[in-house]
């Protein structure tokens, strides 16, 4: 794996893991410990009550401790990703990463447990001894065939789910893809010929899963590094592989591939030669899952067999087989009903749920992730996207139901529909809200100009942007300064190769820029001398002029200096979008509890009710662009008329205007911040509120309230800030703040690119207001 990693990515990954504190995980208390009584309840003497209750009834551990939402990710580091046997200590970053995915996607807490033990007997003993601590065990990166033995024996000894994701996670997604592909091809699973390249844990688990769904062993041909697995073979054999030994004289992949309906590759890049494709059956399925290089590249496979349906393990091709599609949600369903195991019925339920979701109408989130185009069920959409927020809503209830019906659920849920609805709390709380925006940006990168091109944060961000293919960067800065800093920071990009440059001290476009600026601002108090000085010294002016003249598609500025002065330059040079009364700033804060938009955090000091209504409607549209259904709260110190101050009356009137202008928008107010974020509180105050659930767009009564709330939540919630997003410019222009990080610049760049593509992430502040901005002209 590391051999395919650029030095820049390697350096960035090490920095990411080291800063601001080592690793990717921490432990947080879930109960208050603010006084002596809290301490007495949490520990001695109060904790004895919980201990006694569990001693009397072990099932009480699920209600009195974190056990039932706690999974151990266990590895001995013998088969880590593409790194092989690197040992348990070196495997720890991967296991921490797996823990993060559990938490982000399904709210499951994880301890990663790296064991310095390769002996199967001892490994099983250690894992089995963990049962009192955990509600489930996820075995990870243990080499075959030992992994089969460990899982089999642990499952027999333990009364909690034990799941080797390298086997079953891959198998479940592969099975879903195969079911859907065969449906399109009009072939029954029981009749198809399946040929594999690879006979490790994942490949054999895939075959076992397909057999459990109806595939026949006599139609399955397995090959590995020694060739075909045939009856009588002794080299590199074990009892799990021997199940698929065939009575055949064939000894190579080329000899068994003719007539194959399904090729399953979990081996090495380039194994499936193009000429072999021509010998496969009509409408073949090709699952080339080796990473980073598949057994055959999809473009080459399509060239040879246009009728083929192709899956890979890569995110840059359709039909990605990615374990994150299933393992968090399988565990979610299993834990929620107290399952004692993850059995065949539960795995089959997950397969069918994933296959069924692929056949549903694509969600708006998925459509945005793939360039705004819906991707209906078909050869290029056999399995759902990892972005699909409905995964947890389909898989977890299906697994929970199967656990109950198969008799392994110790705590069955009474109402499956209510359970499914409760899972909505996890949707959009993954912290991956930017992923659809990044994917959309990569589809059609645009030219983004960075006014502070000499800043270290910009340079580091641009290196990542280039590697990700998010944008075509243009930096404003002195070439000698930038070159020196690139060397100092160890960055490999170069002027004219990965990015373009505007040199404020000596650029051939200088006179043209001055002329353009005078045309725009000559009647706004800007003299020719002032114009010449600003175009030479003010990088925001330079960047805005480049956007105005069509030489860049979006502007990023504002790392230092006054926010309002940059707003003025953007208003004067780029102008307002048609229908916008004025600018506003919308800031996104991504916390462990969800994503929240806050407005107006930076522009309007004390907006009127009409302006608040404008901003709220525009913020609703922006939330949709990020894949969220807007739930808008007009926040105040007053709860639905509990106070009659001018501020409360203003927010009340703004709500009336929103109802008139956008009656379908889910919004309400005025209300307190706690009321906005709690359905329970809102039901007590106003049971008939138009807002349901938890608000995700918080419109504040003035700039002070909005900015303080944003800065406060950023620090206290240890959250990821995105923005501010400037609403209302005629072309994308965003003003950053001095506290922004390189990561923040990358995020805002992706949003700006999507906006420039026409998917207006930060749209006009009012589509109904009269146009007051300066119209753009072609220079």
């Amino acid at each position: 794996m590391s051999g395919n990693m650029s030095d820049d990515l390697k350096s960035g990954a090490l920095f990411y893991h080291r800063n601001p504190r080592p690793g990717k995980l921490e432990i947080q208390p879930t109960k208050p410990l603010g006084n002596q009584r809290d301490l007495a309840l949490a520990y001695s003497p109060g904790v004895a009550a919980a201990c006694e209750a569990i001693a009397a009834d072990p099932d009480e551990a699920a209600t009195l401790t974190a056990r039932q939402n706690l999974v151990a990710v266990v590895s001995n580091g013998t088969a880590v990703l593409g790194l092989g046997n690197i040992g348990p200590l070196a495997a720890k970053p991967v296991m921490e990463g797996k823990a993060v995915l559990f938490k982000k996607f399904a709210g499951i807490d994880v301890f990663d447990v790296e064991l310095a033990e390769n002996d199967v007997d001892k490994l099983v003993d250690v894992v089995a001894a963990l049962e009192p601590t955990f509600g489930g065990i996820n075995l990870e990166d243990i080499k075959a065939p030992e992994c089969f033995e460990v899982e089999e024996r642990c499952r027999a000894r333990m009364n909690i789910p034990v799941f080797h994701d390298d086997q079953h996670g891959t198998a479940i997604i592969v099975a879903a893809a195969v079911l859907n592909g065969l449906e399109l091809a009009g072939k029954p699973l029981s009749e198809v010929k399946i040929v594999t390249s690879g006979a490790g844990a994942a490949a054999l688990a895939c075959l076992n899963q397909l057999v459990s769904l109806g595939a026949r062993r006599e139609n399955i041909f397995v090959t590995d590094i020694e060739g075909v697995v045939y009856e009588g073979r002794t080299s590199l054999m074990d009892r799990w592989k021997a199940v698929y030994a065939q009575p055949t004289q064939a000894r190579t992949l080329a000899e068994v591939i003719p007539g194959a309906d399904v090729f399953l590759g979990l081996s090495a890049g380039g194994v499936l030669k193009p000429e072999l494709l021509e010998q496969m059956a009509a409408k073949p399925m090709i699952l080339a899952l080796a990473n980073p290089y598949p057994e055959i590249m999809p473009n080459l496979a399509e060239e040879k067999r246009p009728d083929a349906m192709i899956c890979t393990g890569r995110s840059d091709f359709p039909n990605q087989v990615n374990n994150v599609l299933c393992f968090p949600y399988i565990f979610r369903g299993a834990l929620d009903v107290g399952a004692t195991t993850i059995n065949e019925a539960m795995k089959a339920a997950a397969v069918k749920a994933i296959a069924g979701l692929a056949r549903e109408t694509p969600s708006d989130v998925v459509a945005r992730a793939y360039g705004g185009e819906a991707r209906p069920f078909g050869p290029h959409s056999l399995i759902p996207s990892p972005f699909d927020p409905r995964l947890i809503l389909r898989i977890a209830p299906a697994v929970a139901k199967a656990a109950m019906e198969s008799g392994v659920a110790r705590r069955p849920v009474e109402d499956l529909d209510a359970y499914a609805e409760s899972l909505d709390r996890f949707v959009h709380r993954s912290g991956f809200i930017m992923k659809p925006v990044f994917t959309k940006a990569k589809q059609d990168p645009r030219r983004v100009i960075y006014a502070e091109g000499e800043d270290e944060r910009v340079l580091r961000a641009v290196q990542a942007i280039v590697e990700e293919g998010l944008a075509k960067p243009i930096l404003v800065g002195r070439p000698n300064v930038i070159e020196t800093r690139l060397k100092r920071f160890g960055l490999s990009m170069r002027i004219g190769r990965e990015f373009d440059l505007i040199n404020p001290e000596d650029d051939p476009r200088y006179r043209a820029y001055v002329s353009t600026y005078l045309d725009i601002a000559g009647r706004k108090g800007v003299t020719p001398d002032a114009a010449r000085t600003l175009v030479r010294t003010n990088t925001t002016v330079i960047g805005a002029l480049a956007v105005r003249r069509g030489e860049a598609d979006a502007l990023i500025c504002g790392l230092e200096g006054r926010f309002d002065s940059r707003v003025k330059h953007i208003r004067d040079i780029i102008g307002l979008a048609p229908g916008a009364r004025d600018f506003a700033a919308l800031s996104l804060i991504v916390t462990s509890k969800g994503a929240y938009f806050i407005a107006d955090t930076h522009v309007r000091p004390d907006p009127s009710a009409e302006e608040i209504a404008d901003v709220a409607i525009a913020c609703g549209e922006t939330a949709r662009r990020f894949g969220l259904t807007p739930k808008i709260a007009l926040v105040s110190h007053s709860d639905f008329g509990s106070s009659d101050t001018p501020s409360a009356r203003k927010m009340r009137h703004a709500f009336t205007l929103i109802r008139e202008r956008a009656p379908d928008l889910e919004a309400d107010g005025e209300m307190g911040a706690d009321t906005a974020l709690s359905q329970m509180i809102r039901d007590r105050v106003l049971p008939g509120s138009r807002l349901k659930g938890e608000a995700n767009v918080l419109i504040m009564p003035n700039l002070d309230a909005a900015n303080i709330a944003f800065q406060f939540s950023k620090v206290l919630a240890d959250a990821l800030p995105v923005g501010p997003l400037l609403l209302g410019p005629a072309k994308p222009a965003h003003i950053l703040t001095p506290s922004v990080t390189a990561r923040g610049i990358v995020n805002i760049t992706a949003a700006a690119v999507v906006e420039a593509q026409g998917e207006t992430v930060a749209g006009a502040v009012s589509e109904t207001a009269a146009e007051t901005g300066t119209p753009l002209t072609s220079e």
Side-chain angles (χ1 to χ4, degrees), residues 515-552:
S515 176
T516 300
Y517 191 34
L518 284 172
D519 289 343
I520 297 165
R523 295 182 180 274
K524 298 179 181 179
V526 177
T527 66
D529 282 345
R532 283 190 286 270
T533 300
L534 283 169
V535 174
R536 186 73 79 189
T537 61
N538 191 305
T539 57
T540 298
V541 169
I542 296 169
L545 286 168
V547 172
R548 169 80 183 217
R549 291 168 54 84
E551 295 168 4

Side-chain angles (χ1 to χ4, degrees), residues 2 9 14 20 63 76 95 115 166 178-179 249 271 301 310 419-420 433 488-489 564 606 612 670 716 734 759 766 768:
S2 59
L9 182 58
L14 293 174
T63 67
N76 64 358
M95 303 310 123
L115 301 175
D166 296 334
V178 169
L179 290 184
Q249 295 301 311
V271 167
I310 306 164
Y419 169 63
I433 190 172
R488 182 193 308 165
F489 304 141
D564 54 359
D606 188 16
I612 286 172
E670 82 289 7
L716 288 189
H734 299 294
E759 293 286 328
S766 171
T768 58

Side-chain angles (χ1 to χ4, degrees), residues 139 253 258 289 347 360 408 464 522 530 538 597 604 643 755 761:
L139 300 175
L253 176 63
L289 306 182
K347 290 190 285 181
E360 293 185 30
V408 299
N538 191 305
F597 289 95
R604 306 188 192 195
S643 177
E755 189 177 353
V761 170

Side-chain angles (χ1 to χ4, degrees), residues 427-708:
V427 176
H428 303 302
R429 290 188 177 183
S430 69
F432 289 90
I433 190 172
M434 291 299 298
K435 288 183 82 66
V437 180
F438 273 62
T439 302
K440 176 67 170 67
K442 292 178 186 180
Q443 300 290 325
D444 184 16
R446 298 301 176 93
R447 300 165 300 171
V448 178
I449 189 165
Y450 300 85
E452 288 81 15
E454 298 176 1
D455 189 280
E456 177 183 357
R457 291 166 292 177
V458 169
L459 294 173
R460 291 192 180 278
V462 168
Q463 180 72 59
I465 289 160
V466 168
E467 290 181 354
E468 291 287 322
L470 291 173
K472 300 173 182 176
I474 305 168
L475 304 186
V476 180
R478 295 161 293 177
N480 59 323
V481 174
I482 289 176
E483 290 285 8
T484 299
R485 292 182 179 178
L486 289 175
K487 292 177 182 177
R488 182 193 308 165
F489 304 141
L491 304 176
S492 64
M493 59 182 184
R494 293 293 177 262
I495 297 170
R497 190 178 69 188
E498 285 84 8
F499 65 93
D500 291 326
L501 184 75
I502 293 180
N503 179 5
E505 293 182 340
D506 182 21
D507 194 279
R509 293 163 287 194
Y510 172 70
R511 292 181 182 277
Y513 275 37
V514 171
S515 176
T516 300
Y517 191 34
L518 284 172
D519 289 343
I520 297 165
R523 295 182 180 274
K524 298 179 181 179
V526 177
T527 66
D529 282 345
R532 283 190 286 270
T533 300
L534 283 169
V535 174
R536 186 73 79 189
T537 61
N538 191 305
T539 57
T540 298
V541 169
I542 296 169
L545 286 168
V547 172
R548 169 80 183 217
R549 291 168 54 84
E551 295 168 4
D553 301 304
L555 167 66
I556 306 291
C557 65
L559 275 76
E560 304 292 344
R562 293 172 59 93
F563 193 95
D564 54 359
S565 66
R566 285 171 171 77
V567 169
K568 181 180 185 304
H569 291 313
I570 292 170
R571 180 184 287 110
D572 288 346
I573 298 170
I574 295 177
L576 291 162
R581 300 176 196 257
D582 196 0
F583 296 141
L586 175 64
S587 296
L588 171 63
I589 192 85
V590 183
T591 75
S592 60
K593 292 187 175 181
Y596 305 92
F597 289 95
I598 302 174
D600 172 0
T601 53
H602 288 80
V603 178
R604 306 188 192 195
D606 188 16
S608 66
E610 289 78 8
E611 290 175 309
I612 286 172
D614 287 347
V615 171
I617 293 169
C619 290
E621 180 59 27
T622 301
R624 289 191 187 94
R625 302 296 185 191
F626 278 82
L628 296 175
T629 299
K631 294 176 176 289
I632 300 175
L634 303 181
V635 183
S636 170
H637 70 284
S638 172
D639 253 336
F640 302 110
S642 66
S643 177
D644 202 38
T645 62
S647 173
R649 290 196 299 270
K650 177 176 72 172
M651 300 304 279
R652 212 171 299 149
H653 182 44
F655 170 63
T656 302
L657 295 175
I658 292 170
R659 290 193 65 176
E660 293 172 357
R661 298 180 190 176
D664 295 332
L665 196 61
E666 187 176 340
D668 211 339
E670 82 289 7
M671 69 180 77
D674 55 347
T675 307
L677 298 177
S678 170
Q679 179 76 53
M680 182 179 67
I681 295 175
R682 200 158 53 251
D683 285 344
R684 287 203 302 261
V685 178
L686 188 72
S689 172
R690 287 166 55 92
L691 180 63
K692 303 301 178 186
E694 185 180 89
N696 53 25
V697 180
L698 306 175
I699 308 297
M700 301 292 176
N702 56 47
L703 187 147
D704 283 346
N707 191 271
I708 291 169

